[in-house]
Amino acid sequence: MTVTALVSAKSCGVTTSALALTLASSRPSLLAECDPAGGTVRAGLFEGRVDASYGLYHLAAAERAGDDALAHTFASHLIPLDASGNRKVLPGLTDPGQAAALGRTWPALAQVMRVLSDEGGYDVVIDGGRIALESGNLHPVLTPAPLLHGADLVLLVVRGTKQSLSLARHIVEPLRSELAERGSGADALGLLLIEDGAVRAHEVADTLRLPVLATLPFDPETASYLTYGGPPPRSKRATLLARARTAAEDFRAASSRRALQRQYPQPAAAAYPQLSGVLQRLNQGAGSRG
Ligand SMILES: Nc1ncnc2c1ncn2[C@@H]1O[C@H](COP(=O)(O)OP(=O)(O)OP(=O)(O)O)[C@@H](O)[C@H]1O
Ligand SMILES: [Mg+2]
């Protein structure tokens, strides 16, 4: 299936959109909350019910113990997002200071995402947080660059406002060249537009010189539930989730088009055969704890 990474210039709705896409996917799905600035799902949607003994930070130590340990730890740190357990989340860092420890873990995690997508049939959504730059390049600690390299699509989340676009335009070129030089190609980059503001999709695309691959509605009620928890919105009014389902399909189609157009190098799962252990473990239902 598709590995989609979401990033922003500044707090546009990355986490909310990533949750909506994961919940709305018609396939088994996984949200990996990999924002180096820290995760918000634990204190937000989960309202503090998932403690710090679960989550991304624990994968750093596991990776040092080897791929097999990483595969097994990964599976046991996923939290179900729904009763079926087909939608899961890897909760993010509880402290931004933990990000440095993940530096050498990202490449192996990128492989785990590929195995889940290519062999496990999962739609994987990565919350990559805000893009931080250093000397015009992606910051090595504050941006999980290897996850972006390994993704089928990297979506810059923007709103249709002048404020959002004026910040986003500074990170388009660094992202484009990063993906061209180290990722699967500059054409992995596209926009996810949140329909907030007066700027139309075609103007957004022209301004940032990137295609708008999908749009999501401005839906404060559903967004508030995804951001803070509380009672779920009544399904008829949850336009964000309905439109997220369409967006997930649009991303799958865009990713398939890319794969057809060019044989971009897929990080070979065979390079990490131990990682197939993550699928066995998930299929056994391990780690299904809420
Ligand atoms: N589609 C939407 N409709 C209405 N409000 C939204 C939507 N998406 C996000 N929001 C709201 O915008 C705010 C920021 O959203 P969110 O936390 O998802 O952004 P973020 O890009 O992950 O931010 P950060 O970089 O700080 O982690 C939240 O209050 C959220 O409820
Ligand atoms: Mg966020």
Side-chain angles (χ1 to χ4, degrees):
M1 287 303 107
T2 314
V3 179
T4 308
L6 270 54
V7 296
S8 79
K10 185 176 177 183
S11 299
C12 293
V14 168
T15 306
T16 306
S17 305
L19 271 167
L21 288 165
T22 308
L23 283 166
S25 170
S26 55
R27 326 248 170 177
S29 57
L30 168 77
L31 166 60
E33 206 188 7
C34 297
D35 181 344
T40 50
V41 171
R42 199 189 302 268
L45 181 63
F46 286 136
E47 299 181 82
R49 289 189 300 271
V50 175
D51 66 41
S53 61
Y54 282 83
L56 176 64
Y57 182 59
H58 299 276
L59 304 187
E63 188 271 336
R64 289 188 184 90
D67 292 328
D68 200 32
L70 176 65
H72 284 79
T73 307
F74 184 89
S76 59
H77 280 257
L78 303 183
I79 307 295
L81 272 173
D82 63 3
S84 74
N86 286 330
R87 302 183 170 107
K88 303 175 201 290
V89 60
L90 173 69
L93 302 178
T94 52
D95 172 353
Q98 296 167 337
L102 267 296
R104 54 167 281 181
T105 314
W106 298 129
L109 264 181
Q111 300 287 340
V112 173
M113 310 298 175
R114 287 251 56 101
V115 169
L116 289 175
S117 164
D118 300 346
E119 296 178 25
Y122 276 75
D123 273 334
V124 178
V125 184
I126 298 166
D127 180 341
R130 303 180 200 179
I131 293 295
L133 300 177
E134 183 182 69
S135 310
N137 297 312
L138 300 200
H139 193 286
V141 172
L142 300 179
T143 300
L147 298 185
L148 309 188
H149 301 160
D152 297 303
L153 296 175
V154 176
L155 298 173
L156 178 56
V157 182
V158 292
R159 297 192 180 206
T161 62
K162 295 228 159 74
Q163 295 91 324
S164 180
L165 299 182
S166 66
L167 290 175
R169 69 194 172 85
H170 297 287
I171 60 172
V172 170
E173 277 318 311
L175 271 173
R176 219 196 291 268
S177 33
E178 179 80 20
L179 294 174
E181 286 162 26
R182 299 184 191 85
S184 63
D187 61 334
L189 187 61
L191 300 171
L192 171 57
L193 172 64
I194 298 184
E195 292 166 342
D196 174 27
V199 191
R200 307 304 237 190
H202 69 91
E203 296 171 89
V204 170
D206 287 350
T207 305
L208 298 180
R209 293 191 295 118
L210 283 175
V212 175
L213 295 184
T215 57
L216 288 177
F218 187 70
D219 174 357
E221 188 188 358
T222 312
S224 172
Y225 162 68
L226 295 175
T227 305
Y228 304 110
R234 279 173 289 159
S235 56
K236 265 202 303 199
R237 301 179 61 189
T239 55
L240 178 54
L241 293 179
R243 292 270 302 277
R245 196 176 177 93
T246 310
E249 280 156 20
D250 291 344
F251 297 148
R252 211 173 291 132
S255 168
S256 303
R257 278 198 302 276
R258 284 196 74 214
L260 279 177
Q261 278 164 10
R262 48 182 298 177
Q263 291 290 312
Y264 59 88
Q266 294 274 0
Y272 292 85
Q274 304 91 321
L275 291 179
S276 58
V278 76
L279 284 179
Q280 289 157 11
R281 181 85 180 210
L282 281 176
N283 293 338
Q284 286 158 10
S288 296
R289 199 192 114 148

